[in-house]
Amino acid sequence: MTAHPAARYIAAMSYASFLAAVAGLGLVACSPASFTTEVQGEATVPANPAGTSTLLNAFPSISSFSSLDFNENQDFKNRDVTKDEVTRVQVTSMRLKVLSPNDQDFGFLDSMEAVARAGNSESRFAARDGIAGLGLNPPNPTVGLNTDGSVDLRPYVAAPSMAIILRGTGRLPEREVRVQATVVLEVEGGLL
């Protein structure tokens, strides 16, 4: 008894689909894993002394950004990836948000840049000009910096210690302003 031609075709297609799926899984198993991780910190911009106009020429440092060790990062631990296994790190977003007072805007901030530093080496990975003119209204406005997708932060992430430094220009605000910085990284490394 011979199988119907349609049945043979279906069986052949099922086998071909099975082989394609197995080959695809084999390729995925050998490819680098990609995941995102986020680092976040806060800083307080001091208030302007009463009755004076003072330029903001140094943005306050963020202590949680001063000595980052990605072997201690929870997303790296969850993926069982060490910083030495990383093959590429790219910033996908960088945001700055006013936490308090909640009725404060970014009228005091003209420009902002973010750089990664390890040892004596640093690379700028995000920046934004004209922030005060963006019209970002309270409550708790957020500004996104423009990220440079060509910057690979792998050498910084793999270093014994990495820092993220924010530099801003503008004027000191009338009141003390607490801000939150969030950097989202796409990491490639390890195997699936």
Side-chain angles (χ1 to χ4, degrees):
M1 193 175 207
T2 349
H4 188 274
R8 281 192 305 226
Y9 176 77
I10 291 171
M13 290 308 293
S14 295
Y15 183 68
S17 296
F18 171 74
L19 287 178
V22 168
L25 287 174
L27 289 174
V28 168
C30 296
S31 66
S34 177
F35 61 96
T36 59
T37 190
E38 181 178 286
V39 291
Q40 198 171 71
E42 295 179 12
T44 300
V45 181
N48 188 11
T52 64
S53 179
T54 306
L55 291 179
L56 171 69
N57 53 18
F59 201 80
S61 64
I62 298 176
S63 62
S64 61
F65 284 4
S66 63
S67 59
L68 296 166
D69 180 355
F70 281 89
N71 282 341
E72 300 303 316
N73 178 289
Q74 193 59 50
D75 294 315
F76 275 64
K77 290 178 179 181
N78 292 347
R79 296 286 185 149
D80 197 26
V81 174
T82 66
K83 61 186 180 183
D84 298 328
E85 297 172 319
V86 169
T87 56
R88 180 164 174 75
V89 179
Q90 188 172 6
V91 176
T92 58
S93 76
M94 167 78 197
R95 299 180 310 275
L96 194 65
K97 178 181 181 176
V98 172
L99 294 178
S100 68
N102 69 352
D103 61 345
Q104 175 68 46
D105 61 17
F106 279 108
F108 67 94
L109 191 60
D110 292 330
S111 68
M112 173 70 60
E113 73 172 6
V115 299
R117 178 184 286 166
N120 293 326
S121 181
E122 69 177 42
S123 290
R124 184 174 98 160
F125 62 84
R128 185 83 184 242
D129 291 322
I131 296 171
L134 293 175
L136 302 170
N137 297 319
N140 308 104
T142 300
V143 63
L145 276 61
N146 300 316
T147 58
D148 184 347
S150 67
V151 177
D152 182 2
L153 294 185
R154 185 214 168 279
Y156 300 94
V157 168
S161 179
M162 170 188 168
I164 295 175
I165 300 163
L166 302 181
R167 297 179 180 137
T169 62
R171 294 144 306 284
L172 289 177
E174 293 178 7
R175 303 172 285 178
E176 189 175 86
V177 178
R178 193 165 54 99
V179 295
Q180 178 183 67
T182 305
V183 182
V184 179
L185 305 167
E186 183 175 353
V187 180
E188 292 179 8
L191 298 177
L192 287 175

